[in-house]
Amino acid sequence: MGILKKSLSSKSNRSAITIIAEGNKFSGEMNIVGKMHIDGMFEGNINSLDNISIGKTGHVSGNIKAKHMTVSGLLEGEVVCDELHIEKGGKVRAMVLSKIMSIDPAGCFQGERRENASPAYPAAKAADYESGVDAIDSLPDKITLTTSEKQNS
């Protein structure tokens, strides 16, 4: 059983940061107001009204809901957020529901990403994608996915 550290800000208009330090392991369901940083291990469900970051030594497995997620460690499971950023060395193996998703060149994403829960966006056809070799040769240094305001007809 690890120690959950909470650092309070000196200004009342700033939120607190909850930290799960390296070497600590937690499991269960967590509802949190304020920012959270994880360098240890967490297994279970996290519901946050703010931002969650997973450090290089952090490992999170479960269902995660947050405003913004930044991953430098390992994230597995299901993720619902407004924005997900996978940094260098970060690995995400999950079903992701997000408006924006960005991946640094040395980041890793395995799974499926959807923009919203309803099938409002039409499924892409195979003809909409480039051939395998052409697609690999044309990859940019950083990939950022955003929701579109208009649907293509």
Side-chain angles (χ1 to χ4, degrees):
M1 189 82 160
I3 297 172
L4 185 66
K5 297 180 182 178
K6 193 158 190 166
S7 166
L8 298 176
S9 172
S10 61
K11 295 183 180 180
S12 62
N13 63 349
R14 298 179 76 184
S15 64
I17 298 176
T18 300
I19 299 172
I20 297 178
E22 184 175 357
N24 293 323
K25 296 178 182 180
F26 288 89
S27 63
E29 185 164 332
M30 184 179 295
N31 295 309
I32 185 166
V33 176
K35 297 179 181 181
M36 180 176 201
H37 181 78
I38 302 167
D39 277 323
M41 179 180 259
F42 184 89
E43 185 175 332
N45 301 324
I46 301 175
N47 291 309
S48 173
L49 297 176
D50 211 325
N51 302 342
I52 297 176
S53 61
I54 301 172
K56 291 181 181 183
T57 59
H59 178 181
V60 176
S61 179
N63 297 322
I64 314 303
K65 292 182 184 177
K67 182 177 179 183
H68 181 272
M69 299 262 330
T70 302
V71 180
S72 296
L74 176 60
L75 173 60
E76 300 175 297
E78 293 185 18
V79 179
V80 177
C81 59
D82 288 338
E83 185 172 347
L84 172 64
H85 178 68
I86 305 170
E87 295 184 333
K88 177 182 178 181
K91 295 178 181 128
V92 175
R93 295 183 200 130
M95 167 59 165
V96 176
L97 178 64
S98 70
K99 294 177 185 176
I100 299 171
M101 185 168 122
S102 59
I103 307 169
D104 283 345
C108 177
F109 174 69
Q110 296 174 331
E112 182 178 349
R113 181 219 172 216
R114 295 186 182 180
E115 293 180 41
N116 67 12
S118 67
Y121 296 94
K125 298 173 243 156
D128 294 339
Y129 296 100
E130 298 180 60
S131 70
V133 174
D134 293 336
I136 291 170
D137 288 340
S138 65
L139 289 175
D141 289 339
K142 181 177 178 182
I143 300 169
T144 302
L145 305 171
T146 60
T147 58
S148 60
E149 297 297 324
K150 299 178 185 176
Q151 291 184 5
N152 296 333
S153 14

